[in-house]
Amino acid sequence: MRPLEDLTTPVRAWLHRFAFLLLVGGAFALMLVGKADGILVERARTTVVDAVAPILDAASRPVATVADVLREGRELAVLRAQNAALRKENARLKHWQLVARRLEAENAALAQLLDMAPEPQTDYVTGRVIADSGGAFVRSVLINAGTNHGIAKGQAALTGEGLAGRVAEVGRTSGRVLLITDINSRIPVVIESTRQRGILAGDNSDRPKLVYLPEEAEVAVGQRIVTSGHGGVFPPGLPVGEIVKAGEHGVRVRPFADWNRMEYLRVVDYGMPGILMTREDDYSARIAAATGAPR
């Protein structure tokens, strides 16, 4: 055994010393073979891959299994957290449901006691936003619903968050909604917490102005703005936005409606034409009232 080790020691030393050069030479030789006979190299590579593929597949299965287990564990933890949050939210919503039912019963009893006139029946049509003005001087969108669907000029257009605008033009199958940020938009509103009245005036920016407030008005950032119901345009209480700036340069309001994600609008008929009734409509209404004919 000892003489054999003495013979192999110089060979091992020589291999350690010239291993890098041997690898470079082998790689260079493979490149030359690949250039000379590409089909042969491709067949050899395919053969090697076919031989190694079952081994790699067998080795990858435990790794994939462990990865699936870890992913399911993370998803289970997330689901548990979401479940706990949903339980809390459900309990909170049940509480507010009980409060709402009690207030509804009290409101009905008081309305009956005062012989109060009931609120008018509301109808609505949901339309998809198919185009917007995209101009610098107009803030409006086009929806795929018109007179054939029951939409009329002056009706309120709402998103899930709040008031978006009103119907300014209407055709048979389409309607144009003037947004509350347009320079031609003027909406009577109140500050929800203080009940102080004002006008929300659009100026083609994303933050319309709150004007014509009383001098003693208490304005603070974060206050909610809702419709006041004056002018017969919109009913009171529709959410509009919240104050984001109040100072010497005026009061600015951030609307609840998100224009960048506006895909559908609900056009609601509150039966309040108000100041939006045109002269032709007013003339037709007077003629119908005088002759007893339907409008």
Side-chain angles (χ1 to χ4, degrees):
M1 293 296 296
R2 189 64 182 174
L4 183 60
E5 291 182 359
D6 294 339
L7 291 176
T8 57
T9 300
V11 177
R12 288 199 301 258
W14 185 85
L15 290 176
H16 284 297
R17 179 175 301 178
F18 298 100
F20 179 74
L21 294 178
L22 291 174
L23 291 175
V24 172
F28 187 71
L30 289 175
M31 291 175 59
L32 291 178
V33 173
K35 293 293 184 180
D37 193 350
I39 298 176
L40 178 62
V41 174
E42 183 177 355
R43 288 179 179 177
R45 183 170 60 246
T46 305
T47 303
V48 173
V49 171
D50 290 339
V52 176
I55 300 175
L56 295 177
D57 181 62
S60 64
R61 290 182 183 277
V63 176
T65 303
V66 172
D68 291 339
V69 171
L70 293 177
R71 184 175 64 254
E72 291 179 358
R74 289 193 296 266
E75 292 178 354
L76 182 60
V78 173
L79 289 176
R80 286 180 177 176
Q82 291 179 351
N83 191 21
L86 289 175
R87 286 180 178 177
K88 293 181 180 179
E89 184 177 359
N90 190 30
R92 185 170 62 253
L93 290 177
K94 285 183 178 180
H95 169 71
W96 286 112
Q97 184 183 30
L98 294 176
V99 173
R101 286 179 177 177
R102 185 176 69 251
L103 291 177
E104 183 181 11
E106 292 179 358
N107 189 25
L110 292 174
Q112 185 177 5
L113 181 63
L114 297 174
D115 196 19
M116 186 175 179
E119 294 290 335
Q121 184 76 19
T122 59
D123 299 320
Y124 66 89
V125 175
T126 301
R128 184 168 58 89
V129 176
I130 57 177
D132 57 59
S133 62
F137 304 103
V138 180
R139 293 291 185 271
S140 64
V141 296
L142 194 67
I143 60 175
N144 62 345
T147 55
N148 292 346
H149 305 87
I151 291 180
K153 184 178 179 180
Q155 292 177 348
L158 307 172
T159 64
E161 292 77 19
L163 181 66
R166 61 177 176 84
V167 178
E169 299 175 1
V170 61
R172 292 182 179 272
T173 59
S174 64
R176 182 168 293 279
V177 175
L178 188 74
L179 301 179
I180 61 177
T181 56
D182 189 89
I183 195 171
N184 297 308
S185 175
R186 298 291 186 274
I187 301 175
V189 296
V190 296
I191 301 176
E192 190 176 41
S193 58
T194 62
R195 313 307 300 176
Q196 291 169 327
R197 303 174 187 174
I199 298 293
L200 185 70
D203 59 355
N204 289 347
S205 68
D206 294 336
R207 300 290 186 265
K209 299 182 294 184
L210 189 59
V211 297
Y212 300 118
L213 287 170
E215 294 183 359
E216 68 278 4
E218 299 177 0
V219 181
V221 174
Q223 289 178 321
R224 285 169 50 93
I225 304 298
V226 298
T227 56
S228 65
H230 295 84
V233 183
F234 302 117
L238 294 180
V240 177
E242 66 176 1
I243 297 176
V244 294
K245 183 179 179 181
E248 298 179 356
H249 300 287
V251 180
R252 292 284 179 171
V253 176
R254 179 184 64 81
F256 289 136
D258 188 356
W259 323 118
N260 297 323
R261 295 185 297 177
M262 185 182 298
E263 298 181 2
Y264 293 92
L265 285 176
R266 184 175 61 181
V267 180
V268 186
D269 181 13
Y270 291 102
M272 304 175 64
I275 60 175
L276 298 178
M277 180 180 289
T278 61
R279 294 181 179 179
E280 291 80 4
D281 296 335
D282 184 45
Y283 179 75
S284 300
R286 292 185 181 184
I287 293 296
T291 59
R295 298 182 183 179

